[in-house]
Amino acid sequence: MPKPTLVVESDDPQVGLLEAAGKLFRQKGFAATTVREIAEAAGVWPGSLHYYFPTKESILLALMEQGIASAESGFRRALEASDDPIDRIRLAIRAHIRMLVGNEAGTYVLLYEGRGLTGDARTAMVRLRDRYDALWDGLLYQALGTGRLQSGIDVRLTRLFILGSVNWVAQWYSPDGGRKPDEIGDSFADTVLNGLVG
Amino acid sequence: MPKPTLVVESDDPQVGLLEAAGKLFRQKGFAATTVREIAEAAGVWPGSLHYYFPTKESILLALMEQGIASAESGFRRALEASDDPIDRIRLAIRAHIRMLVGNEAGTYVLLYEGRGLTGDARTAMVRLRDRYDALWDGLLYQALGTGRLQSGIDVRLTRLFILGSVNWVAQWYSPDGGRKPDEIGDSFADTVLNGLVG
DNA sequence: GTCTATACTCTGATAGAC
DNA sequence: GTCTATCAGAGTATAGAC
C-alpha cells in the first residue's frame, strides 16, 4: 500500500506535506503531532518526509513563512478597496478573519505555535510577525491622522486590542455556526470603530 | 541530591507540582513539557510525581479545575464593587486580565491547552468553560437591560469579542512593559463600552 | 510517602535498497 | 525520488526497596 490514506489533494508531495502538517498542527498542536502522522496524512512514507524537510521544525517554519506571506498580501490586497483609513481598518479586520478561518493553516500556526520554534528560527519568526504588526500600526496612525478618532489613542494598545479579538475567532469559529466570517468582521469593526470615534 | 533545583516555594509536594507544571505548560505548552521537567522544577523525583498524579493529563486537569475556580470567583468578586451592569463590565474585564497575567497559571492553561485533554476530561472542561461564558452572557444581558447600549447587540458575539481581546493579553503582556494590567483593562473597557453605547 | 531503577512504547531521524 | 528497516534517545509510567 504505497499511499495509505491520501487525505490531501495536491500531487506535489512537498505541498501535500505542508498542507497535512498545517491541518494537524492546527488540530493537535505542533508538539503533539508526529512526523508519522504527517506523512500518513500526506500519503507518503515516513522516511520520504525527511527527503523534503530535514526536520519537523523545518516544516513548521515553512508553514509559518507561508502564513506570514499570506497575511501580508491579504492585508495589502484588502486596502486596495478603499482610500479612507477608517474604511480600511474594517477591510483589514475582515481580511484577517478570512485568512484565519480559511484553509491557510499557516496563519493559524503562525499565531499559536510560535513556541515550537527554537533559536534562530524563532527570532526570525518574531521579526516577521513584527513586520505584520507594523502594517497595522501604520494603518492606525493614518486613521488617527484623519482627525476623526479620539486624539489620545495608544496605537500599539489599540492594535493589540483589535488583533486579540480577531485572532480569538480562530478558536471558536465554526463554518456551521451561522455567522459568516465577513459578518463577524463587520460586527467587530462596528464596535471598534464606534468605540474609537467616541 | 534529594531536591535538585527547588524552583518552587510550597512545602506540600502536590501544590509544588501543580505550580511547577503550570509555569512549564504556560511556557512550553503541555505536549512539549515532560514529567521529568515538572518533577525537577518541583524538587521531587520523577517516580514520586506519579504518587500524587497518576498521569500527566491528570495534572493538566487539576490545573484547569483550579483555573476555572479562580476565574469564576474572581469574576464574582469583581462584581461586588458596583451594582451598575455597565460598570461591572469594566470591573470584570479588569479582573479577567489580572488573573491571566498573574500567577494563576491555571487560567492561562485553561484557555490555551484544552487540546491536551482527551475523552471525558475534555468534555468536562468544555462544560466548565461554558459556565464561565454564561456568567459573562448574564452580565451582558443585564447591561442590555439598562437600555443604555445599542438595542441590536448580539450578546454571544460581543462576549467573544471582549474575551478575545482580553485573552490575547496573556500572549503579549510583560511586567516590564509599562502598562499595568488594570490600565490595559481600562483602556479596553473604554473602547468596548464606548463602542457598544454608540 | 518518597526515591531508585527500569520496563516498554513511541519519537525524530538515518542508512541504504530500489 | 520514494520506500523499507532500523537506530538511538526520550517519553510516560511502574515495580519495589526503604
Side-chain angles (χ1 to χ4, degrees):
Chain A
M1 38 173 155
K3 308 225 165 197
T5 30
L6 200 58
V7 178
V8 158
E9 311 81 56
S10 173
D11 280 350
D12 182 352
Q14 176 135 9
V15 175
L17 283 167
L18 272 180
E19 217 172 302
K23 280 182 188 158
L24 286 164
F25 290 169
R26 183 172 184 155
Q27 193 184 351
K28 316 179 46 174
F30 172 73
T33 302
T34 70
V35 291
R36 285 172 172 71
E37 287 172 324
I38 299 169
E40 192 187 358
V44 159
W45 293 95
S48 304
L49 182 145
H50 290 287
Y51 175 78
Y52 296 101
F53 299 96
T55 65
K56 184 177 149 188
E57 193 174 343
S58 72
I59 303 179
L60 179 60
L61 183 61
L63 216 45
M64 287 186 161
E65 279 165 353
Q66 191 176 294
I68 195 75
S70 141
E72 281 198 12
S73 76
F75 184 92
R76 292 185 201 281
R77 222 177 313 121
L79 263 49
E80 290 170 7
S82 171
D83 282 330
D84 177 43
I86 309 283
D87 279 352
R88 283 179 156 187
I89 291 176
R90 172 185 306 274
L91 292 165
I93 288 176
R94 288 172 65 150
H96 190 103
I97 292 178
R98 275 200 307 272
M99 278 184 308
L100 268 182
V101 306
N103 296 328
E104 320 269 5
T107 320
Y108 179 91
V109 167
L110 183 67
L111 287 178
Y112 290 103
E113 298 294 337
R115 291 180 302 198
L117 293 179
T118 57
D120 291 350
R122 185 161 195 165
T123 51
M125 265 315 311
V126 172
R127 226 191 311 275
L128 289 174
R129 276 203 229 173
D130 287 348
R131 221 171 61 187
Y132 182 69
D133 288 347
L135 290 178
W136 272 92
D137 286 350
L139 176 56
L140 290 172
Y141 274 117
Q142 270 186 31
L144 261 181
T146 64
R148 281 149 63 203
L149 300 185
Q150 293 168 36
S151 52
I153 287 173
D154 179 332
V155 164
R156 175 173 164 275
L157 206 54
T158 303
R159 186 238 304 152
L160 290 166
F161 174 76
I162 295 174
L163 289 184
S165 57
V166 298
N167 287 342
W168 194 246
V169 173
Q171 303 280 357
W172 57 265
Y173 175 80
S174 157
D176 339 305
R179 297 274 187 165
K180 292 196 181 71
D182 277 352
E183 289 174 351
I184 298 166
D186 279 337
S187 167
F188 283 12
D190 285 345
T191 306
V192 168
L193 294 174
N194 191 31
L196 293 176
V197 170
Chain B
M1 36 172 152
K3 307 225 165 196
T5 30
L6 200 57
V7 178
V8 158
E9 309 83 55
S10 174
D11 281 349
D12 182 353
Q14 176 136 8
V15 175
L17 283 166
L18 272 181
E19 218 172 302
K23 282 183 188 157
L24 286 164
F25 291 169
R26 182 171 184 156
Q27 193 184 348
K28 314 179 47 173
F30 172 74
T33 302
T34 71
V35 292
R36 292 192 226 284
E37 287 172 323
I38 299 170
E40 193 187 357
V44 158
W45 293 94
S48 306
L49 182 144
H50 291 286
Y51 174 78
Y52 296 101
F53 297 98
T55 66
K56 182 176 150 189
E57 193 175 342
S58 73
I59 303 180
L60 180 59
L61 183 61
L63 216 45
M64 288 186 159
E65 280 166 351
Q66 190 177 293
I68 195 75
S70 139
E72 282 200 12
S73 76
F75 184 93
R76 292 186 202 280
R77 223 178 312 122
L79 263 50
E80 289 170 7
S82 170
D83 282 331
D84 178 42
I86 309 284
D87 279 352
R88 283 180 156 186
I89 291 176
R90 172 185 305 272
L91 292 166
I93 288 175
R94 289 172 64 150
H96 190 103
I97 292 178
R98 275 200 306 272
M99 280 184 307
L100 269 182
V101 307
N103 296 327
E104 320 270 3
T107 319
Y108 179 90
V109 168
L110 183 66
L111 287 177
Y112 290 104
E113 297 294 338
R115 290 180 302 199
L117 292 180
T118 57
D120 293 349
R122 186 161 193 167
T123 51
M125 263 318 310
V126 172
R127 227 190 309 275
L128 290 174
R129 276 203 229 174
D130 287 348
R131 223 171 60 187
Y132 182 70
D133 288 347
L135 289 178
W136 272 92
D137 286 350
L139 176 57
L140 292 172
Y141 273 117
Q142 270 187 33
L144 261 180
T146 64
R148 282 149 63 201
L149 300 186
Q150 292 167 36
S151 52
I153 287 174
D154 180 332
V155 165
R156 174 172 165 276
L157 206 54
T158 304
R159 186 237 304 151
L160 290 165
F161 174 75
I162 295 174
L163 289 184
S165 57
V166 296
N167 287 342
W168 193 248
V169 173
Q171 303 280 356
W172 57 265
Y173 175 80
S174 156
D176 338 305
R179 296 274 187 166
K180 292 196 180 73
D182 277 352
E183 289 174 351
I184 297 165
D186 279 337
S187 166
F188 284 13
D190 284 344
T191 307
V192 168
L193 293 174
N194 190 33
L196 294 175
V197 170

